[in-house]
Amino acid sequence: MRGVSLSFLLLAGMMLAGAPARADTAGGVPSTMSPLDTGDRVYHHICAACHMADGKGARGAGAKYPALAGDPKLAIAAYPTMMVLNGHGGMPWFAGILTDRQIADVVTYIRSHLGNRWTDPVTPEQVGAMRQPITLEE
């Protein structure tokens, strides 16, 4: 009897808790993922997880996530473009995940926001020229 009651309570609790969390939402409420159609959206959905929403980076748990805010290395657009495409050190590469347009948009965003003032936009054509072909083995 006791086992049945406990099972019933566990099942009832799971049903009352709502829907399970999904990858695109922190809670149990189903939602649709916002399209990553601007540099701001790409940054806040992907980059801010490590570099933080304000771009000031973070340290802790044995890791260091560099600041993008006020970073003089961003003056040359090729530097952040290559970092996003190919990664470096602990930063993953996004060439196989993001389109040329998304990379151009997010690089333009980080260069013109977060305390940075480089306003010359990066174009998808520039990103495409830097993109290396991805082979099946990679």
Short mmCIF file of all heavy atoms in Angstrom, two decimals, residues 14-15 29 47 49 51 55 65 72 78 84 87 96 101-102 105-106 112 136:
data_model
loop_
_atom_site.label_atom_id
_atom_site.label_comp_id
_atom_site.label_asym_id
_atom_site.label_seq_id
_atom_site.Cartn_x
_atom_site.Cartn_y
_atom_site.Cartn_z
N MET A 14 4.72 15.01 -10.82
CA MET A 14 5.26 15.24 -12.15
C MET A 14 4.21 15.86 -13.06
O MET A 14 4.51 16.73 -13.86
CB MET A 14 5.78 13.94 -12.75
CG MET A 14 7.05 13.46 -12.06
SD MET A 14 7.71 11.84 -12.53
CE MET A 14 6.97 11.41 -14.03
N MET A 15 2.97 15.44 -12.92
CA MET A 15 1.90 15.98 -13.75
C MET A 15 1.59 17.42 -13.39
O MET A 15 1.33 18.25 -14.26
CB MET A 15 0.64 15.11 -13.63
CG MET A 15 0.81 13.75 -14.28
SD MET A 15 -0.55 12.61 -13.97
CE MET A 15 -1.95 13.52 -14.56
N VAL A 29 7.43 25.90 -19.82
CA VAL A 29 6.42 26.42 -20.74
C VAL A 29 6.96 26.33 -22.16
O VAL A 29 7.98 26.94 -22.49
CB VAL A 29 6.07 27.89 -20.41
CG1 VAL A 29 5.03 28.42 -21.39
CG2 VAL A 29 5.58 28.00 -18.98
N CYS A 47 26.75 33.73 -27.64
CA CYS A 47 28.00 34.28 -27.12
C CYS A 47 27.91 34.69 -25.65
O CYS A 47 28.87 34.54 -24.89
CB CYS A 47 28.44 35.47 -27.95
SG CYS A 47 28.43 35.17 -29.73
N ALA A 49 26.54 33.46 -23.20
CA ALA A 49 26.66 32.38 -22.22
C ALA A 49 28.06 32.34 -21.62
O ALA A 49 28.22 32.00 -20.44
CB ALA A 49 26.34 31.03 -22.89
N HIS A 51 30.71 35.00 -22.63
CA HIS A 51 31.25 36.37 -22.59
C HIS A 51 30.38 37.32 -21.78
O HIS A 51 30.75 38.47 -21.60
CB HIS A 51 31.45 36.90 -24.01
CG HIS A 51 32.48 36.12 -24.78
ND1 HIS A 51 33.83 36.24 -24.56
CD2 HIS A 51 32.33 35.17 -25.75
CE1 HIS A 51 34.48 35.42 -25.37
NE2 HIS A 51 33.59 34.76 -26.11
N GLY A 55 29.30 41.71 -22.14
CA GLY A 55 30.54 41.52 -22.86
C GLY A 55 31.79 41.62 -22.01
O GLY A 55 32.90 41.64 -22.55
N TYR A 65 36.79 33.49 -19.53
CA TYR A 65 36.10 33.89 -20.74
C TYR A 65 36.45 35.35 -20.98
O TYR A 65 36.07 36.21 -20.20
CB TYR A 65 34.59 33.71 -20.58
CG TYR A 65 34.24 32.27 -20.23
CD1 TYR A 65 33.94 31.91 -18.92
CD2 TYR A 65 34.25 31.29 -21.21
CE1 TYR A 65 33.64 30.59 -18.61
CE2 TYR A 65 33.95 29.98 -20.90
CZ TYR A 65 33.65 29.63 -19.59
OH TYR A 65 33.36 28.34 -19.28
N PRO A 72 40.57 46.17 -27.74
CA PRO A 72 41.20 46.81 -28.90
C PRO A 72 41.49 45.84 -30.04
O PRO A 72 41.65 46.26 -31.19
CB PRO A 72 42.49 47.41 -28.33
CG PRO A 72 42.74 46.69 -27.06
CD PRO A 72 41.41 46.24 -26.55
N ALA A 78 38.85 41.24 -39.15
CA ALA A 78 39.24 39.86 -39.46
C ALA A 78 39.50 39.05 -38.20
O ALA A 78 39.27 37.84 -38.18
CB ALA A 78 40.46 39.85 -40.36
N VAL A 84 35.37 33.55 -34.48
CA VAL A 84 34.03 32.95 -34.53
C VAL A 84 34.03 31.77 -35.49
O VAL A 84 33.47 30.70 -35.19
CB VAL A 84 32.96 33.99 -34.90
CG1 VAL A 84 31.60 33.33 -35.09
CG2 VAL A 84 32.87 35.08 -33.83
N GLY A 87 37.35 29.31 -33.91
CA GLY A 87 37.60 29.10 -32.49
C GLY A 87 39.08 29.23 -32.17
O GLY A 87 39.92 29.41 -33.05
N GLY A 96 30.57 25.57 -38.62
CA GLY A 96 29.62 24.53 -38.98
C GLY A 96 28.23 24.76 -38.44
O GLY A 96 27.34 23.95 -38.68
N ARG A 101 25.98 35.11 -42.96
CA ARG A 101 25.19 36.27 -42.54
C ARG A 101 25.18 36.38 -41.01
O ARG A 101 25.37 37.47 -40.46
CB ARG A 101 23.76 36.16 -43.09
CG ARG A 101 22.73 37.07 -42.44
CD ARG A 101 22.97 38.56 -42.57
NE ARG A 101 22.97 39.00 -43.94
CZ ARG A 101 23.47 40.17 -44.34
NH1 ARG A 101 23.99 41.02 -43.47
NH2 ARG A 101 23.44 40.53 -45.59
N GLN A 102 24.95 35.29 -40.30
CA GLN A 102 24.90 35.33 -38.84
C GLN A 102 26.25 35.72 -38.25
O GLN A 102 26.32 36.51 -37.31
CB GLN A 102 24.45 33.98 -38.29
CG GLN A 102 22.99 33.67 -38.56
CD GLN A 102 22.64 32.25 -38.22
OE1 GLN A 102 23.36 31.30 -38.52
NE2 GLN A 102 21.49 32.08 -37.57
N ASP A 105 26.81 39.40 -38.91
CA ASP A 105 25.95 40.20 -38.02
C ASP A 105 26.48 40.23 -36.59
O ASP A 105 26.51 41.28 -35.95
CB ASP A 105 24.52 39.66 -38.03
CG ASP A 105 23.78 39.94 -39.32
OD1 ASP A 105 24.28 40.73 -40.15
OD2 ASP A 105 22.69 39.35 -39.50
N VAL A 106 26.91 39.08 -36.07
CA VAL A 106 27.36 39.06 -34.67
C VAL A 106 28.71 39.76 -34.52
O VAL A 106 28.95 40.45 -33.53
CB VAL A 106 27.37 37.64 -34.07
CG1 VAL A 106 28.55 36.80 -34.56
CG2 VAL A 106 27.37 37.71 -32.54
N SER A 112 30.48 47.04 -32.58
CA SER A 112 29.80 48.34 -32.49
C SER A 112 28.97 48.50 -31.22
O SER A 112 28.33 49.53 -31.03
CB SER A 112 28.91 48.54 -33.72
OG SER A 112 27.94 47.52 -33.79
N LEU A 136 33.91 16.11 -44.16
CA LEU A 136 33.13 15.16 -43.37
C LEU A 136 33.90 14.71 -42.13
O LEU A 136 33.33 14.50 -41.08
CB LEU A 136 32.74 13.96 -44.23
CG LEU A 136 31.85 12.93 -43.58
CD1 LEU A 136 30.54 13.56 -43.12
CD2 LEU A 136 31.57 11.79 -44.55
#
